[in-house]
Amino acid sequence: MKLDPSFIWTAFLQLWSAVPTTLYITVVSVSVGFVIGIITALARIYRIPVLSQLSSGYVTFIRGTPMLTHLLLIYFGLPMLVDGLSAHYGLGWNSAKIPMIGFAYISFSITAGAYLSEVVRSGLLAVDRGQMEAAWSVGMTTPQALRRIVFPQALAASLPNLSNSVIGMLHGSTLAFTVSVVDLNAKAQIVASTNWKFFESYVAAALIFWGLTILIERITGLIERRIRVYSKGGVA
Amino acid sequence: MEYGFDINYVFDFIPKLLSTLNITLLIVAGAIGLGLLIGFLVALPRLYNVPVLRNVSMVYVSFFRGTPILIQLFLFYYGLPEILKLVSIDISKLPVIYFVILTFGLNVAAFVSETIRAAVLAVNRGQVEAAYAVGMTGYQAFTRIVLPQAVAIAIPVFSNLVIAMLKDTSLAFTLGVMEMTGKAQTLGSLSQHFIETYIALALIYLVMSIALERLMLVAERRLSRHMRRDASEKNRFFTRRRKRLTLGGLTRELKPGNKEVPRYEA
Amino acid sequence: MIKLNGIRKSFGRHEVLQGIDLTVNKGEVVAILGPSGSGKTTLLRCINYLEKPSDGQIQIGDFTLDCKHAGKKDIYSLRQRSAMVFQQYNLFSHKTALENVIEGLIVVKKVGKEEARKRGIELLEKVGLGAKLDAYPSQLSGGQQQRVGIARALALEPEVILFDEPTSALDPELVGEVLAVIRRIAKEGITMIIVTHEMGFAQDVANHVVFMDGGVIVEEGNPAELFGNPKEERTKQFLKRFTTEYSYSI
């Protein structure tokens, strides 16, 4: 085995075909996770009975266990549940119909939901109480105040955390290979073992991930500059 | 039960999994120790603005924060022996766990360096001036005034790093290390009771994460006594309760220029 | 005795101090007045070497420092002869009031812990904070923090204490307690240089008043002379603005 730097470029080209899969997993898990995050964060902030306890339990469990165990639990648990329900009610479902990437979508969305719940919550808590009172004082209802005053400020405050969550999910998507989804990491493994050039393949994969991460950070920076116009000059 | 699920397996598996706890803890301790050391070294050139070295630090941090830890693991496992072979050092027989600890250590170092930097920058400039004004030297001002405050600022982030590292140890199984997750896979395929094994595994991780978090919270309370302001608590919207769980873990939120770090405004 | 000779300081192309000469005798209280941007705070910070002057000599007691070739040792010796009270207090936020006062004694003056404590308690009692020894800065009001700051400066027994607008960050109702403390220690014959906007206070406490504008000393003299009968046009303008501001405020 000899180092072959030129193979990095070859691997790079072959790996491109797996980039969409990696991006799909990231986008789906972050989007679904964001919805879960908002619901669970509001449930906890407003102390809605039952729902808030459930949300807290969910967030603690997910954040206290590795993402890999979430994936494995879903991968082995979901078919059991689906087939069991199907047999019980005669629904005619079959867990074998769930595509592999479906497990990744479901499991990673659940993971992302817990982390984003914390991001959303801390963003909302960062908004000064006076903002809400001012909104009430000009006659807004609470939902109006939340939507027009609190949420935009919370979003601005939580943008850096949001961006980090997206990057976290992008990197976490490499776990999808354990359920045989051919994402960037799995593709790198395939390219590596068929050509017997492990190091070069992983260098190429690392470079692609690095590039994607920097891209996300740049985009965040751009949005941040636009969104934070109102706080310019302050010592935020 | 009709799904073939048997809760007894969960209790049965927990002690079996715990038999590999020492490997998991070894990886965590090794990586954190190595990470603190290297992280401090990586932070220095940027704190003191050393040309060239400063840029090396920046690229180092950007790389380790910009690529998945799993990719880094494969990269070092396959790459390091090949690179060292060029200078005729043979490490291909080195046990896998050393590669795991090294990779995780280098990874943690990037986050540690950012944490140190952000924490030091978060200490108010006036603190240093006041130290100079009472006649302290630069070294005295750093060790007696800046560092203790910076450590207090950094503890919550550091706590998240340790918990994240604990969870990341689950990736070591990909290289065949028999830590808890690796053990769980073996137990699962032997018994064909996968779901019970993974529930047992998740429970162990959960208890350990919560225990670590509590431990760090105690340290944080002790180190940041001075930051409690009973007189002028800021009026925040929604709850008056302090944030219980600190943010982060997987997401590792400490970005350069992040506003999350508390500021010491008197 | 403090003697400044030809102190110059530039930020980029902007020369903030254009050659300042000033002599302060032992036991004298000097007030420096002037509009914002006149360089008065910069001058004060230069004396403590928190800003590095680009030229000039600073003499405190028997020690003289030439700003052109000042080594680390010289800077530390200079700083040990002076102490500073900051506008933003700058108390060490991870240390209690007492620890703040004795930190310099222990680390710089190498005084024993017990003795330092005794001295610290004495000083805090003197500024009226004998009951707040173990409070952290975050638990103190602005006025209390500033009094700790003054005690911290006194602890070092410097040849001169420099006050940088010590009351301008305070709520109006807290200004009085801080000024009262400064007034009391002024009577003890400690040499002080005070940059302030409190005209009445300057007139009352200072033996010597300096008016600065545009990086130079425009006029200096005893308070009665400078306030009652200013010679320079710029001084007159400045004082007039201040008096009108006060008399017409609603």
Side-chain angles (χ1 to χ4, degrees), chain C residues 12 38 66 91 98 119 139-140 152:
Chain C
S38 59
D66 189 341
L91 296 188
L98 182 59
R119 181 119 183 75
Q139 298 161 332
L140 297 173
R152 178 171 73 180

Side-chain angles (χ1 to χ4, degrees), chain A residues 1-4 42 44-47 56 59-69 72-74 76-78 80-81 83-85 87-88 111 115 118-119 121-122 124-130 132-133 136 146 150 157 160-161 163-172 174-175 177-178 184-185 188-189 197-207 209-211 213-214 217 220-221 224 228 235-236, chain B residues 2-6 58-76 78-80 82-86 111 160 163 166-174 181 184-185 192-210 213 234-260 263 265:
Chain A
M1 219 165 30
K2 266 200 79 186
L3 279 183
D4 179 5
L42 285 178
R44 286 188 296 155
I45 283 174
Y46 279 114
R47 310 247 177 97
S56 299
V59 171
T60 309
F61 176 79
I62 294 295
R63 293 185 58 235
T65 49
M67 193 168 161
L68 181 62
T69 56
L72 292 170
L73 279 173
I74 290 291
F76 289 104
L78 196 64
M80 243 172 160
L81 200 68
D83 292 346
L85 284 176
H88 197 265
T111 309
Y115 286 96
E118 284 296 86
V119 171
R121 201 169 78 104
S122 78
L124 289 173
L125 292 177
V127 180
D128 201 277
R129 187 174 173 76
M132 193 73 176
E133 285 171 357
W136 284 330
L146 280 177
V150 177
N161 287 330
S163 153
N164 281 333
S165 297
V166 176
I167 293 170
M169 291 315 295
L170 172 73
H171 292 180
T174 51
L175 293 173
F177 87 100
T178 48
L184 248 171
N185 177 35
Q189 254 169 9
K197 290 196 193 316
F198 288 90
F199 181 54
E200 294 84 346
S201 305
Y202 284 113
V203 168
L207 287 176
F209 273 112
W210 198 1
T213 305
I214 291 174
E217 282 178 346
T220 311
E224 216 168 9
R228 285 225 169 140
V235 193
Chain B
E2 58 183 315
Y3 316 136
F5 178 83
D6 187 349
M58 278 165 74
V59 172
Y60 177 92
V61 171
S62 169
F63 176 80
F64 279 98
R65 293 179 68 235
T67 54
I69 190 163
L70 194 57
I71 297 279
Q72 292 164 19
L73 203 55
F74 290 132
L75 203 58
F76 280 92
Y78 292 116
L80 207 57
E82 291 189 38
I83 289 175
L84 288 181
K85 222 190 305 178
L86 297 179
F111 291 91
N160 286 333
I163 293 169
L166 169 71
K167 291 186 282 179
D168 282 343
T169 57
S170 64
L171 300 176
F173 88 96
T174 53
T181 304
Q185 291 209 316
Q192 287 300 307
H193 281 271
F194 284 103
I195 194 78
E196 292 89 338
T197 357
Y198 292 130
I199 289 176
L201 180 68
L203 286 177
I204 296 175
Y205 279 121
L206 183 62
V207 169
M208 287 175 68
S209 301
I210 292 176
E213 179 149 39
K234 262 206 171 171
N235 195 5
R236 287 297 179 201
F237 182 48
F238 297 122
T239 43
R240 270 131 229 113
R241 204 157 48 108
R242 287 278 294 160
K243 201 162 66 160
R244 187 171 42 86
L245 272 170
T246 41
L247 260 187
L250 172 106
T251 52
R252 286 156 162 177
E253 72 271 65
L254 203 91
K255 270 183 60 151
N258 195 350
K259 305 286 188 324
E260 273 293 293
R263 311 221 85 228
E265 292 297 342

Side-chain angles (χ1 to χ4, degrees), chain B residues 129, chain C residues 8-18 37-46 50-54 215:
Chain B
E129 289 191 350
Chain C
R8 289 179 178 278
K9 170 75 190 169
S10 312
F11 291 113
R13 260 196 233 153
H14 181 57
E15 192 165 45
V16 189
L17 298 178
Q18 304 176 356
S38 59
K40 54 194 192 304
T41 289
T42 308
L43 177 66
L44 203 68
R45 290 167 62 86
C46 280
L50 293 173
E51 305 284 354
K52 186 190 179 321
S54 28

Side-chain angles (χ1 to χ4, degrees), chain C residues 14-243:
Chain C
H14 181 57
E15 192 165 45
V16 189
L17 298 178
Q18 304 176 356
I20 301 285
D21 302 313
L22 182 67
T23 306
V24 179
N25 295 316
K26 198 167 159 50
E28 212 173 25
V29 177
V30 174
I32 304 180
L33 312 175
S36 40
S38 59
K40 54 194 192 304
T41 289
T42 308
L43 177 66
L44 203 68
R45 290 167 62 86
C46 280
I47 301 174
N48 208 241
Y49 232 80
L50 293 173
E51 305 284 354
K52 186 190 179 321
S54 28
D55 200 3
Q57 287 94 36
I58 303 170
Q59 184 191 344
I60 301 181
D62 53 5
F63 181 81
T64 309
L65 179 136
D66 189 341
C67 300
K68 273 246 157 101
H69 353 70
K72 258 191 184 165
K73 277 237 174 80
D74 305 324
I75 294 171
Y76 293 136
S77 332
L78 182 79
R79 281 188 185 141
Q80 289 191 23
R81 287 172 164 77
S82 59
M84 183 106 167
V85 174
F86 295 88
Q87 188 179 357
Q88 297 292 343
Y89 336 128
N90 289 358
L91 296 188
F92 302 129
S93 44
H94 63 309
K95 303 217 175 257
T96 63
L98 182 59
E99 287 168 342
N100 260 283
V101 176
I102 64 178
E103 181 73 9
L105 284 179
I106 293 172
V107 179
V108 181
K109 300 250 162 175
K110 314 281 179 205
V111 175
K113 253 217 166 123
E114 267 320 297
E115 206 195 319
R117 266 185 69 86
K118 232 178 76 197
R119 181 119 183 75
I121 294 171
E122 250 168 54
L123 284 164
L124 281 172
E125 276 167 356
K126 189 174 188 177
V127 297
L129 290 172
K132 296 280 184 186
L133 300 180
D134 295 321
Y136 284 103
S138 58
Q139 298 161 332
L140 297 173
S141 73
Q144 290 169 333
Q145 289 191 55
Q146 194 59 298
R147 285 187 278 154
V148 176
I150 294 170
R152 178 171 73 180
L154 283 171
L156 300 164
E157 294 176 334
E159 306 206 17
V160 56
I161 299 183
L162 311 166
F163 291 82
D164 181 15
E165 303 191 23
T167 57
S168 60
L170 291 173
D171 291 337
E173 73 270 19
L174 300 177
V175 170
E177 60 184 76
V178 172
L179 292 185
V181 169
I182 300 176
R183 196 167 285 162
R184 195 164 351 124
I185 57 177
K187 289 207 182 99
E188 293 175 10
I190 293 169
T191 316
M192 305 200 284
I193 303 178
I194 308 175
V195 167
T196 183
H197 285 298
E198 303 280 339
M199 293 301 151
F201 174 73
Q203 194 163 5
D204 188 19
V205 173
N207 328 109
H208 190 84
V209 181
V210 174
F211 174 70
M212 277 182 73
D213 193 13
V216 293
I217 292 179
V218 177
E219 187 170 353
E220 58 182 308
N222 69 47
E225 209 173 280
L226 196 125
F227 283 105
N229 185 20
K231 291 186 189 62
E232 298 291 327
E233 192 52 36
R234 274 192 281 180
T235 320
K236 281 181 197 158
Q237 288 290 332
F238 177 77
L239 290 173
K240 202 163 119 198
R241 214 176 55 223
F242 260 91
T243 38

